[in-house]
Amino acid sequence: MQRISSRLSRTLSLSILSSTSVQQRTLATRSVSSTLQTLQQQELTIPGRLLKWVSLGFVRTSSFATGFTPLQRKPLDSIMDIERAKDKSPEDLASIWDDYHLGRGHIGASMTAKLYHLLVQRAADCLYFVIPLWRGSGYTTMFAQVQMPYMLFTGLEDYKERGTQAAPYFTVSFYTEFAETKDLVLIRGDVVFTSKLTDEEAKWLLETAQSFYLNDGRYKLVERFNKETRDFEFKDVLRALDMPIL
């Protein structure tokens, strides 16, 4: 959530991310493909208490993510030279990380360790949420699973059509290697289906999901969705995001 604004040159970025050559970028693409295959093999289940959301795309025979298996993410040392990164300030390191992930299908972000620990705490208590993604004159409802150190996002309508064969559109991994030494957690997002989400939409989903878990007022809606589903009103999410109620 807490973004570091300072930017370094791309030359500096490449010096820290020395292993991220064309070959490494190819490996990153293969990693996303491997992740997709893993996810498609998993049986996904929707908690029974959330089945009231038929109007948003759920059906009683559908399921989503209670049997979640941790993703096989890329190790941080395969993305950057960790030893050389240890000499950089948190601001510089966050800027290098962001710059490296610029480009189709990848999102780079960062947050403080304090916010990360709060996110972990709240996600352990509330795994799921629904987020409207505004497009043109209406919105597409996305279903999020927050099971740290990962986030998964998929479209409800797509899930309604594909059932357990539906895979997340967007996956997010959190790296805590610098949490203690630099008060910095690095975040990598991969758009699995570039036909479903743009980089800008994926970035917005990540930031919005974090805002609902980290903002005390918004988190009450997350708690209601997970614990008091009968009292949850989707229009409250729309109001929180200043979106019109259609």
Side-chain angles (χ1 to χ4, degrees):
M1 285 289 296
Q2 205 169 4
R3 296 296 298 247
I4 310 292
S5 59
S6 64
R7 295 259 171 200
L8 299 181
S9 69
R10 292 191 177 278
T11 301
L12 177 58
S13 175
L14 290 173
S15 71
I16 299 300
L17 296 163
S18 58
S19 62
T20 56
S21 59
V22 173
Q23 181 182 6
Q24 288 296 324
R25 289 179 182 271
T26 301
L27 289 175
T29 301
R30 292 175 181 171
S31 176
V32 173
S33 178
S34 176
T35 295
L36 174 57
Q37 293 176 3
T38 299
L39 290 168
Q40 287 176 329
Q41 294 170 356
Q42 296 171 8
E43 183 175 354
L44 308 175
T45 54
I46 290 176
R49 66 183 179 279
L50 304 183
L51 290 174
K52 62 169 284 185
W53 289 95
V54 175
S55 63
L56 293 180
F58 286 107
V59 292
R60 289 193 176 275
T61 56
S62 296
S63 56
F64 187 82
T66 56
F68 175 75
T69 300
L71 305 178
Q72 299 300 315
R73 63 177 179 177
K74 281 180 66 68
L76 185 60
D77 60 9
S78 71
I79 303 174
M80 68 160 50
D81 187 331
I82 294 180
E83 289 303 315
R84 297 178 69 183
K86 289 178 180 179
D87 297 330
K88 302 302 175 183
S89 68
E91 294 80 7
D92 289 350
L93 186 55
S95 293
I96 292 169
W97 182 259
D98 288 354
D99 285 346
Y100 168 69
H101 286 94
L102 290 175
R104 189 69 184 125
H106 300 293
I107 306 298
S110 58
M111 66 195 313
T112 65
K114 180 179 179 180
L115 288 177
Y116 175 78
H117 292 313
L118 178 60
L119 180 57
V120 170
Q121 175 187 340
R122 289 182 168 180
D125 202 34
C126 297
L127 290 176
Y128 312 100
F129 199 54
V130 283
I131 300 174
L133 177 63
W134 190 261
R135 287 174 168 167
S137 58
Y139 56 81
T140 297
T141 304
M142 305 296 293
F143 188 71
Q145 177 182 345
V146 185
Q147 189 159 339
M148 302 302 289
Y150 306 100
M151 287 186 181
L152 305 176
F153 298 86
T154 195
L156 289 183
E157 285 301 317
D158 188 62
Y159 189 83
K160 180 179 179 180
E161 294 177 2
R162 298 175 182 270
T164 57
Q165 295 302 309
Y169 298 174
F170 178 45
T171 67
V172 180
S173 299
F174 293 77
Y175 294 91
T176 59
E177 281 83 346
F178 299 107
E180 292 187 8
T181 58
K182 298 183 183 296
D183 189 31
L184 182 70
V185 174
L186 300 175
I187 306 169
R188 175 188 172 98
D190 290 292
V191 180
V192 181
F193 292 113
T194 56
S195 62
K196 300 287 189 179
L197 286 177
T198 65
D199 287 0
E200 291 74 19
E201 289 173 334
K203 180 180 178 181
W204 184 87
L205 278 175
L206 172 59
E207 293 175 346
T208 301
Q210 289 185 93
S211 77
F212 274 100
Y213 276 85
L214 298 175
N215 177 278
D216 292 342
R218 288 188 174 189
Y219 183 64
K220 292 179 180 179
L221 293 176
V222 179
E223 287 185 305
R224 196 175 305 158
F225 180 77
N226 284 269
K227 300 179 180 181
E228 303 170 1
T229 309
R230 293 183 179 180
D231 298 325
F232 179 79
E233 295 289 345
F234 190 65
K235 63 184 178 181
D236 292 334
V237 179
L238 295 172
R239 290 194 184 101
L241 295 173
D242 294 323
M243 290 185 181
I245 300 174
L246 302 179

